[in-house]
Amino acid sequence: MRAADHLRHEHAAAVSHPRLASVPVLAHLLSALVLRVLPAEPAEPPTGRPHEHTVFHRYRAAVEEQFTRHHHVRDYASILGYGPRTLTRATRAATGLGAKQFLDQRILLEAKRLLAHTDLPAARCAEHLGFHDAANFTTFFQRQAGLSPSRWRTVHDGR
């Protein structure tokens, strides 16, 4: 939480005094925050299951590249040449989450980033994230975050 607070403070200062803003400082603070929230990676692949470790790394990379276009595990399974159950087993072994939950958390993280750091309306955030219907995005966000996008923005607006 300290890393997030520091980033929020630096961002607010940059917004209020643009000529004093330091993009490298903001970038480093964001990097530090991301490192804090990512699950720690084991030093070695889990014993007895190096295949699952490779499968998860491929899945995670595909999610990072395509989460704004693909919201279903079956799409990644098809792209990567694995079954959905294989992706789920590998993701659960690496993170403790199922493949769908891992994917949903990545989409939610980007949704929160857009809501917190842009003035885009929820419908434009939905478009950016690949939702064809803003109502589906709102339902997804409500289910994942416990608040509607507009309510979440109001509660978490540090600007």
Side-chain angles (χ1 to χ4, degrees):
M1 292 310 296
R2 285 187 194 145
D5 289 340
H6 191 179
L7 179 60
R8 185 178 305 116
H9 172 76
E10 288 292 329
H11 179 263
V15 169
S16 62
H17 304 297
R19 46 187 183 85
L20 299 178
S22 172
V23 173
V25 168
L26 290 170
H28 285 295
L29 289 171
L30 180 59
S31 296
L33 180 60
V34 169
L35 288 172
R36 290 265 184 217
V37 299
L38 286 177
E41 296 216 339
E44 301 174 22
T47 55
R49 303 243 167 140
H51 174 71
E52 283 182 351
H53 189 71
T54 301
V55 170
F56 170 69
H57 281 282
R58 291 187 67 211
Y59 176 61
R60 183 178 64 185
V63 166
E64 282 302 313
E65 288 177 17
Q66 302 185 35
F67 71 90
T68 61
R69 291 184 300 274
H70 300 294
H71 296 175
H72 301 286
V73 174
R74 70 177 177 270
D75 297 329
Y76 293 94
S78 177
I79 290 166
L80 296 171
Y82 300 114
R85 292 177 66 195
T86 299
L87 292 180
T88 296
R89 272 193 306 274
T91 304
R92 193 173 312 284
T95 67
L97 304 173
K100 178 61 174 158
Q101 191 177 8
F102 180 84
L103 175 59
D104 286 349
Q105 283 191 357
R106 181 60 185 98
I107 295 167
L108 180 64
L109 178 65
E110 185 65 10
K112 287 179 176 180
R113 188 193 69 76
L114 289 169
L115 292 167
H117 299 292
T118 72
D119 291 325
L120 292 174
R124 294 282 292 138
C125 292
E127 275 179 38
H128 178 78
L129 292 168
F131 287 87
H132 299 293
D133 180 5
N136 288 344
F137 169 69
T138 299
T139 300
F140 167 84
F141 194 94
Q142 177 86 36
R143 185 174 55 246
Q144 297 296 319
L147 297 169
S148 69
S150 59
R151 180 72 181 130
W152 187 93
R153 177 179 266 162
T154 301
V155 169
H156 292 88
D157 191 5
R159 293 180 276 168

